[in-house]
C-alpha cells in the first residue's frame, strides 16, 4: 500500500488522490464520534461518502477509564451530486454523460 497522507495532532487536512478523489478528516464531533468524508469524481457528478465512527471498549471495561480499544463504524451516508445541473442526478441523466473508459473523472 501507499500512504495517502500522514495525520499528526493538529494536522487533519484535506488530501487529494490523483485529482479524482478527496478525503476530509477524520474530524472529531461534539458527541465524541469521528467523521471521515470521501469524495469521488464520476462523470458529470461526484459521489460523497461520510463514515462515522464511535469509540468502543471491551465488554466489562468501563468506558472512559482507559483509551478506547477500537472504533466502531456506526453510520455511513452516501450521496450523489450532479455538477453544472439544476436538479439532483437521476439514473437517466447519469447514462447521458458517462465517464470515459479508464477515466473516472
Amino acid at each position: 500500500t501507499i500512504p495517502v497522507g500522514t495525520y499528526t495532532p493538529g494536522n487533519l487536512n484535506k488530501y487529494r488522490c490523483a485529482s479524482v478523489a478527496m478525503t476530509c478528516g477524520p474530524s472529531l464531533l461534539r458527541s465524541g464520534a469521528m467523521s471521515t468524508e470521501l469524495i469521488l469524481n464520476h462523470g458529470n457528478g461526484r459521489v460523497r461518502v461520510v463514515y462515522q465512527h464511535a469509540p468502543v471498549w471491551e465488554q466489562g471495561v468501563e468506558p472512559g477509564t482507559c483509551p478506547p480499544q477500537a472504533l466502531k463504524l456506526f453510520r455511513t451516508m452516501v450521496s450523489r451530486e450532479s455538477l453544472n445541473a439544476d436538479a439532483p442526478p437521476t439514473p437517466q441523466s447519469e447514462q447521458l454523460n458517462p465517464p470515459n473508459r479508464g477515466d473516472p473523472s
Side-chain angles (χ1 to χ4, degrees):
T1 61
I2 299 172
V4 173
T6 304
Y7 297 110
T8 57
N11 179 24
L12 301 177
N13 292 326
K14 298 178 181 179
Y15 289 97
R16 296 216 39 114
C17 307
S19 294
V20 296
M22 184 171 73
T23 60
C24 301
S27 301
L28 187 60
L29 305 175
R30 286 185 287 182
S31 65
M34 292 175 48
S35 177
T36 303
E37 183 177 17
L38 171 66
I39 304 155
L40 302 168
N41 283 348
H42 187 270
N44 190 33
R46 60 184 166 215
V47 176
R48 182 182 305 261
V49 184
V50 177
Y51 304 96
Q52 292 185 343
H53 303 83
V56 292
W57 288 263
E58 290 181 18
Q59 189 173 7
V61 176
E62 182 68 29
T65 59
C66 63
Q69 277 89 25
L71 290 173
K72 178 181 181 179
L73 178 66
F74 74 93
R75 181 179 295 144
T76 302
M77 295 172 282
V78 179
S79 63
R80 295 185 343 227
E81 299 173 355
S82 193
L83 303 175
N84 305 323
D86 296 329
T90 63
Q92 293 80 16
S93 67
E94 290 180 342
Q95 287 176 356
L96 292 174
N97 189 13
N100 297 327
R101 183 173 173 82
D103 180 13
S105 63

